[in-house]
Amino acid sequence: MKEKSDKRKAILDATLKLISIHGFHRTSMAMVVKESCVSTGVIYHYFVSKEEIIMELYKAIKLAALEAMAKNFTDDLSIYERYKNIWFESLNYCRLHPVEISFLEQFEYSPYFALCSSEEFLCVMKPISDLISESLEKDVVKNLPVDLLTSLFNEGAVLLGKKY
């Protein structure tokens, strides 16, 4: 069983590396075969297409990033302390995972993003969306759409993490 997951991981890791260098469209399956050291048949055993590999990568990386953001999140802290913890965990994730952050940015500005369901991330995002809702209710933040507030909050950490 471990060999199967190792091969699958090798495919995902190779694809991430290649996309970070060549982008989505210039990364071919032949390149993934060579970089992952698995056969074409093995790749197609795990994934139907390059698009499916890309979608799986996005889901895995996005969930890891969201989980890292909420790592030290507890409801007993003040709103300010909760925001601060999430922001610093986001910054730390960006600093430690530049290739993954680059992938997320490419993905979220690509046509692939339209194919992705946000429902998969709702459970992980719940503490963060609840914090934003609480902040809005208590007039701690300006009354703006939650998506906009989330972007404003997150983009600062990403930009600083990339420079750091």
Side-chain angles (χ1 to χ4, degrees), residues 45-102:
H45 172 75
Y46 291 105
F47 303 98
V48 173
S49 63
K50 181 176 88 170
E51 288 72 23
E52 184 180 0
I53 299 172
I54 290 169
M55 295 298 286
E56 286 295 317
L57 270 173
Y58 178 73
K59 290 174 193 173
I61 294 168
K62 187 69 170 183
L63 285 173
L66 292 171
E67 287 170 358
M69 285 173 64
K71 186 168 96 177
N72 292 319
F73 191 90
T74 58
D75 288 331
D76 61 332
L77 297 173
S78 70
I79 289 174
Y80 172 78
E81 288 296 320
R82 285 182 277 166
Y83 271 114
K84 189 171 94 173
N85 282 353
I86 291 169
W87 199 83
F88 278 110
E89 291 301 338
S90 297
L91 176 63
N92 196 42
Y93 183 85
C94 294
R95 186 179 61 80
L96 295 173
H97 300 91
V99 173
E100 288 85 349
I101 292 301
S102 175

